[in-house]
Amino acid sequence: MPLNVLVIEDEAAIQELIAVNLESAGHHVLRSSNAEQALTIIHQTLPDLVLLDWMLPGQSGLAIARHLRGSERTRAIPMIMLTAKSAEQDKIIGLEAGADDYVTKPFSPRELLARIKAVMRRRAPQMTDDVIEVQGLRLDPAAHRVSGNGLALSLGPTEFRLLHFFMTHAERVHTRAQLLDQVWGDHVFVEERTVDVHIRRLRKALEATGHDALVETVRGTGYRFTAAA
Ligand code: CA
Protein backbone atom coordinates (compact mmCIF):
# COMPACT_ATOMS: atom_id res chain seq x y z
CA MET A 1 0.00 0.00 0.00
CA PRO A 2 1.51 3.40 -0.91
CA LEU A 3 2.41 5.41 2.17
CA ASN A 4 2.74 9.14 2.67
CA VAL A 5 6.20 9.36 4.20
CA LEU A 6 7.55 12.55 5.70
CA VAL A 7 11.34 12.66 5.51
CA ILE A 8 13.04 15.12 7.86
CA GLU A 9 16.68 15.26 6.83
CA ASP A 10 18.91 18.29 6.39
CA GLU A 11 21.59 16.65 4.27
CA ALA A 12 20.37 17.15 0.71
CA ALA A 13 22.13 14.09 -0.73
CA ILE A 14 20.72 11.74 1.90
CA GLN A 15 17.26 13.29 1.64
CA GLU A 16 17.40 12.73 -2.13
CA LEU A 17 18.62 9.15 -1.78
CA ILE A 18 15.81 8.30 0.62
CA ALA A 19 13.15 10.04 -1.46
CA VAL A 20 14.20 8.36 -4.70
CA ASN A 21 14.19 4.93 -3.10
CA LEU A 22 10.86 5.39 -1.36
CA GLU A 23 9.27 6.74 -4.52
CA SER A 24 10.55 3.85 -6.59
CA ALA A 25 8.97 1.54 -4.00
CA GLY A 26 5.67 3.27 -4.73
CA HIS A 27 5.46 5.60 -1.75
CA HIS A 28 4.73 9.30 -1.75
CA VAL A 29 7.41 11.44 -0.13
CA LEU A 30 7.05 14.76 1.67
CA ARG A 31 10.40 16.41 2.29
CA SER A 32 11.62 18.79 4.93
CA SER A 33 15.04 19.75 6.22
CA ASN A 34 14.16 21.13 9.64
CA ALA A 35 11.60 20.92 12.42
CA GLU A 36 9.70 24.04 11.43
CA GLN A 37 9.10 22.85 7.86
CA ALA A 38 8.20 19.40 9.11
CA LEU A 39 5.63 20.67 11.59
CA THR A 40 4.05 22.89 8.92
CA ILE A 41 3.66 19.85 6.66
CA ILE A 42 2.26 17.74 9.49
CA HIS A 43 -0.20 20.49 10.32
CA GLN A 44 -1.57 20.24 6.76
CA THR A 45 -1.36 16.50 6.20
CA LEU A 46 -0.83 13.77 8.73
CA PRO A 47 1.80 11.43 7.24
CA ASP A 48 1.57 7.64 7.53
CA LEU A 49 5.19 7.46 8.64
CA VAL A 50 7.94 9.87 9.67
CA LEU A 51 11.63 9.26 8.97
CA LEU A 52 13.62 11.70 10.99
CA ASP A 53 17.26 12.52 11.27
CA TRP A 54 18.66 12.98 14.76
CA MET A 55 21.04 15.84 14.03
CA LEU A 56 19.16 18.75 12.49
CA PRO A 57 19.77 22.48 12.53
CA GLY A 58 17.61 24.03 15.26
CA GLN A 59 15.30 21.55 16.95
CA SER A 60 16.82 18.04 16.95
CA GLY A 61 15.10 14.92 15.66
CA LEU A 62 14.84 13.79 19.24
CA ALA A 63 12.89 16.92 20.19
CA ILE A 64 10.60 16.45 17.17
CA ALA A 65 9.95 12.83 18.19
CA ARG A 66 9.00 13.91 21.72
CA HIS A 67 6.82 16.68 20.35
CA LEU A 68 4.92 14.31 18.03
CA ARG A 69 4.43 11.72 20.73
CA GLY A 70 3.19 14.38 23.13
CA SER A 71 0.36 15.62 20.94
CA GLU A 72 -2.98 13.85 20.65
CA ARG A 73 -3.17 14.31 16.89
CA THR A 74 0.30 13.01 16.06
CA ARG A 75 0.82 10.51 18.88
CA ALA A 76 0.22 7.40 16.80
CA ILE A 77 2.38 8.22 13.76
CA PRO A 78 5.01 5.52 13.23
CA MET A 79 8.50 7.03 13.42
CA ILE A 80 11.91 5.77 12.40
CA MET A 81 14.98 7.67 13.52
CA LEU A 82 17.94 8.04 11.15
CA THR A 83 21.28 8.74 12.64
CA ALA A 84 25.00 8.42 12.53
CA LYS A 85 24.95 7.68 16.23
CA SER A 86 25.18 4.00 16.89
CA ALA A 87 26.09 3.79 20.54
CA GLU A 88 23.75 1.69 22.62
CA GLN A 89 22.98 4.63 24.90
CA ASP A 90 21.94 6.83 21.96
CA LYS A 91 19.70 4.10 20.65
CA ILE A 92 17.96 3.86 24.01
CA ILE A 93 17.46 7.63 24.16
CA GLY A 94 15.96 7.57 20.65
CA LEU A 95 13.55 4.78 21.49
CA GLU A 96 12.60 6.45 24.75
CA ALA A 97 11.79 9.65 22.87
CA GLY A 98 9.17 7.61 21.02
CA ALA A 99 10.90 6.35 17.88
CA ASP A 100 9.62 2.92 16.78
CA ASP A 101 12.91 1.95 15.24
CA TYR A 102 16.34 3.24 14.63
CA VAL A 103 18.44 3.06 11.47
CA THR A 104 22.14 3.85 11.61
CA LYS A 105 23.84 5.70 8.75
CA PRO A 106 25.11 4.59 6.38
CA PHE A 107 22.21 2.25 5.61
CA SER A 108 21.21 0.49 2.42
CA PRO A 109 17.91 1.50 0.80
CA ARG A 110 16.83 -2.14 1.07
CA GLU A 111 17.43 -2.15 4.79
CA LEU A 112 15.44 1.06 5.20
CA LEU A 113 12.50 -0.36 3.21
CA ALA A 114 12.58 -3.54 5.27
CA ARG A 115 12.55 -1.54 8.51
CA ILE A 116 9.64 0.56 7.25
CA LYS A 117 7.69 -2.59 6.44
CA ALA A 118 8.37 -4.07 9.87
CA VAL A 119 7.40 -0.88 11.71
CA MET A 120 4.19 -0.46 9.68
CA ARG A 121 3.26 -4.10 10.28
CA ARG A 122 3.64 -3.54 14.00
CA ARG A 123 2.25 -0.01 14.34
CA ALA A 124 -0.28 0.32 11.53
CA PRO A 125 -1.15 -3.11 10.11
CA GLN A 126 -4.14 -1.59 8.26
CA MET A 127 -1.60 0.27 6.09
CA THR A 128 0.11 -2.90 4.86
CA ASP A 129 -0.81 -5.21 2.01
CA ASP A 130 -0.81 -8.34 4.16
CA VAL A 131 -3.76 -10.61 3.43
CA ILE A 132 -5.76 -11.18 6.57
CA GLU A 133 -8.21 -13.94 7.37
CA VAL A 134 -10.51 -14.41 10.35
CA GLN A 135 -12.93 -17.34 10.55
CA GLY A 136 -13.22 -17.71 6.79
CA LEU A 137 -13.53 -13.98 6.17
CA ARG A 138 -10.61 -13.03 3.96
CA LEU A 139 -9.46 -9.53 3.03
CA ASP A 140 -6.81 -8.92 0.39
CA PRO A 141 -5.68 -5.26 0.49
CA ALA A 142 -3.58 -5.39 -2.69
CA ALA A 143 -6.34 -6.93 -4.79
CA HIS A 144 -9.01 -4.97 -2.89
CA ARG A 145 -11.08 -8.12 -2.47
CA VAL A 146 -13.10 -9.58 0.35
CA SER A 147 -14.51 -13.08 0.48
CA GLY A 148 -16.43 -15.12 3.01
CA ASN A 149 -15.83 -18.86 2.95
CA GLY A 150 -14.59 -18.44 -0.63
CA LEU A 151 -17.61 -16.44 -1.78
CA ALA A 152 -16.77 -12.97 -3.14
CA LEU A 153 -18.37 -10.16 -1.14
CA SER A 154 -18.95 -6.69 -2.49
CA LEU A 155 -17.99 -3.75 -0.25
CA GLY A 156 -17.90 -0.02 -0.86
CA PRO A 157 -14.55 1.76 -0.36
CA THR A 158 -15.37 3.05 3.12
CA GLU A 159 -16.71 -0.33 4.25
CA PHE A 160 -13.54 -1.94 2.89
CA ARG A 161 -11.29 0.40 4.92
CA LEU A 162 -13.49 -0.04 7.96
CA LEU A 163 -13.31 -3.83 7.72
CA HIS A 164 -9.54 -3.70 7.14
CA PHE A 165 -9.09 -1.59 10.25
CA PHE A 166 -11.37 -3.90 12.27
CA MET A 167 -9.60 -7.06 11.13
CA THR A 168 -6.16 -5.66 11.93
CA HIS A 169 -7.39 -4.44 15.34
CA ALA A 170 -9.65 -7.28 16.36
CA GLU A 171 -11.04 -7.81 19.86
CA ARG A 172 -10.61 -4.16 20.78
CA VAL A 173 -13.47 -1.75 21.34
CA HIS A 174 -13.31 1.36 19.15
CA THR A 175 -15.35 4.47 19.79
CA ARG A 176 -16.98 6.24 16.87
CA ALA A 177 -14.48 9.08 17.23
CA GLN A 178 -11.56 6.63 17.03
CA LEU A 179 -13.02 4.99 13.94
CA LEU A 180 -13.47 8.38 12.30
CA ASP A 181 -9.83 9.21 12.98
CA GLN A 182 -8.49 5.87 11.83
CA VAL A 183 -10.73 5.09 8.90
CA TRP A 184 -11.99 8.41 7.59
CA GLY A 185 -8.75 10.19 8.34
CA ASP A 186 -7.48 13.35 9.80
CA HIS A 187 -9.06 16.74 9.11
CA VAL A 188 -12.28 15.10 8.01
CA PHE A 189 -15.33 16.60 9.61
CA VAL A 190 -18.14 14.12 9.58
CA GLU A 191 -20.67 13.36 12.25
CA GLU A 192 -20.29 10.31 14.45
CA ARG A 193 -23.64 9.07 13.13
CA THR A 194 -21.91 8.51 9.79
CA VAL A 195 -20.01 5.65 11.41
CA ASP A 196 -23.28 3.90 12.23
CA VAL A 197 -24.43 4.25 8.64
CA HIS A 198 -21.29 2.54 7.33
CA ILE A 199 -21.38 -0.13 10.01
CA ARG A 200 -24.89 -1.00 8.81
CA ARG A 201 -23.65 -1.19 5.21
CA LEU A 202 -20.70 -3.31 6.25
CA ARG A 203 -22.91 -5.77 8.11
CA LYS A 204 -25.27 -5.93 5.16
CA ALA A 205 -22.32 -6.76 2.86
CA LEU A 206 -21.14 -9.52 5.20
CA GLU A 207 -24.60 -11.02 5.78
CA ALA A 208 -24.45 -13.47 2.85
CA THR A 209 -21.87 -15.59 4.66
CA GLY A 210 -22.94 -14.80 8.23
CA HIS A 211 -19.78 -12.79 8.93
CA ASP A 212 -21.83 -9.76 9.95
CA ALA A 213 -21.93 -11.40 13.39
CA LEU A 214 -18.22 -10.61 13.79
CA VAL A 215 -19.02 -6.88 13.95
CA GLU A 216 -20.36 -6.29 17.43
CA THR A 217 -22.00 -3.24 18.90
CA VAL A 218 -20.63 -2.46 22.34
CA ARG A 219 -23.39 -0.57 24.09
CA GLY A 220 -22.53 2.95 25.13
CA THR A 221 -19.04 2.69 23.68
CA GLY A 222 -18.74 1.77 20.04
CA TYR A 223 -17.88 -1.26 17.99
CA ARG A 224 -15.69 -4.33 18.15
CA PHE A 225 -14.65 -6.87 15.57
CA THR A 226 -14.38 -10.23 17.25
CA ALA A 227 -13.46 -13.73 16.23
CA ALA A 228 -15.20 -14.96 19.38
CA ALA A 229 -18.69 -14.26 18.01
CA1 CA B 1 21.69 15.76 9.86
Side-chain angles (χ1 to χ4, degrees), residues 9-11 53 55:
E9 167 63 77
D10 60 315
E11 282 161 79
D53 186 27
M55 300 293 280

Side-chain angles (χ1 to χ4, degrees), residues 87-105:
E88 181 75 4
Q89 186 55 31
D90 290 334
K91 196 167 180 167
I92 291 167
I93 293 169
L95 296 173
E96 279 177 355
D100 294 296
D101 201 0
Y102 195 103
V103 179
T104 309
K105 295 175 186 174

